[in-house]
Amino acid sequence: MNDTRSDGTDPLVVALGGNTLLGQHGPWTADEQRSAVERTARHLTDTLDPGTDLVLTHGNGPQVGNLLVQQEAAAETPQLPLDVLVAETQAQIGYMLQQALDNERPTETEVMTLVTQVVVDGDDPAFARPTKPVGPFYTETEAAEKPFETRAVSDGERPYRRVVPSPDPVEVVEADEIAELVARGNTVVCAGGGGVPVVRDGGLRGVEAVVDKDRTSQLLATALGADTLVLLTDVAHAYVNYGEADQRPLGRVTAADLRKHLDAEEFGEGSMQPKVEACLRFVAAGGERAIITTPDQLGDALAGEAGTRVVA
Ligand code: ADP
Ligand code: MG
């Protein structure tokens, strides 16, 4: 296993889902975003021991979507590629998290945000089959005029959205630096939006893609030698028969049992499925446990009393 720890600490890696950073309904003013981030920061500081070596990752779907809308609305300024926009959202969300966490718990070592790149394989089959919808919705006529690939992904007047590839993350470029910051005592916000996707092409080069944040969070947690990976979202558990009258929350679950539920397609594609896969990869790579739950259940989940807790 690729263990980059520099001093034997075992950081806790916590991935923050979209709803932990935004209220439930858009269009999400800066104030709405700030109050959602503050609520999540309070859950983290109330729950975690001040000495916890904490690495925070996060999603960016709505934020990068808004930036894409802004691009289209401002014809007089040059259009920026997706990798640059992902980097912008890392700063935007990281800034709010830094401020909220430092205000909740003033300490000598600051919370730091790191613009994070993640290497993907230029030959990943995902590049031939873009699946991830991003940005605004278009009519069929509007979609036909776009310089990028679009696909009808819903019903109604404007069913079309841009679709981009979602390749597997291979390596977090800044993993060693993240480990060093953690060893110094900094809480690190990184790998936002799954990281800025880059290929190794002589040097590093940004690509038009979106990497799944749950997958990147697993890759990073494994590289850091973390014991526990936590994926915080808006449901307290992964469920079987989700949405049915007889839905059943998964508590402590072995990887073998969870894999059976995964194979039975119990988990939503693009929502719960990548989380479950990330948990399975994490314990398969030697991690002790992976947790799926909500921010308010984090403490109970770490105590083994709430949430879905995946063990080898
Ligand atoms: P995040 O922004 O935290 O990644 P997602 O929307 O991607 O959030 O994933 C969480 C969502 O997964 C839940 O709100 C729920 O609607 C959906 N979901 C799909 N299948 C399941 C399942 N089997 N158990 C629990 N949630 C599920
Ligand atoms: Mg998600």
Side-chain angles (χ1 to χ4, degrees), residues 212-214 270-271 275:
D212 182 85
K213 72 114 177 25
D214 298 314
S271 58
K275 293 186 202 308

Side-chain angles (χ1 to χ4, degrees), residues 59-73:
N60 73 344
Q63 291 86 354
V64 80
N66 279 354
L67 287 181
L68 284 163
V69 173
Q70 287 172 18
Q71 298 277 304
E72 299 210 344

Side-chain angles (χ1 to χ4, degrees), residues 167-245:
D168 231 5
V170 175
E171 178 200 346
V172 176
V173 174
E174 294 82 7
D176 288 349
E177 286 68 26
I178 293 166
E180 278 168 30
L181 289 168
V182 171
R184 273 177 34 143
N186 296 103
T187 288
V188 188
V189 179
C190 58
V196 179
V198 297
V199 290
R200 282 200 193 280
D201 189 7
L204 296 173
R205 182 172 58 80
V207 289
E208 300 270 329
V210 168
V211 182
D212 182 85
K213 72 114 177 25
D214 298 314
R215 290 200 169 138
T216 303
S217 301
Q218 176 272 316
L219 188 70
L220 178 63
T222 299
L224 295 175
D227 291 334
T228 304
L229 168 66
V230 180
L231 306 175
L232 294 183
T233 183
D234 60 350
V235 283
H237 301 87
Y239 293 84
V240 293
N241 297 333
Y242 181 64
E244 312 284 319

Side-chain angles (χ1 to χ4, degrees), residues 113-192:
T113 298
L114 197 74
V115 171
T116 314
Q117 305 172 86
V118 62
V119 176
V120 300
D121 181 351
D123 294 326
D124 191 306
F127 282 105
R129 205 175 57 89
T131 52
K132 175 88 181 161
V134 293
F137 289 78
Y138 307 112
T139 64
E140 188 173 0
T141 318
E142 287 167 347
E145 288 164 359
K146 294 300 170 194
F148 42 73
E149 185 163 347
T150 58
R151 187 175 307 155
V153 295
S154 64
D155 302 320
E157 287 268 288
R158 313 178 82 84
Y160 284 83
R161 284 182 91 184
R162 179 175 182 179
V163 284
V164 296
S166 190
D168 231 5
V170 175
E171 178 200 346
V172 176
V173 174
E174 294 82 7
D176 288 349
E177 286 68 26
I178 293 166
E180 278 168 30
L181 289 168
V182 171
R184 273 177 34 143
N186 296 103
T187 288
V188 188
V189 179
C190 58

Side-chain angles (χ1 to χ4, degrees), residues 237 250-254 289-292 300-311:
H237 301 87
L250 294 169
R252 185 180 187 276
V253 61
T254 64
R289 61 179 175 164
I291 294 173
I292 300 170
D300 289 341
L302 288 170
E305 287 156 12
T308 296
R309 308 179 306 279
V310 185
V311 294

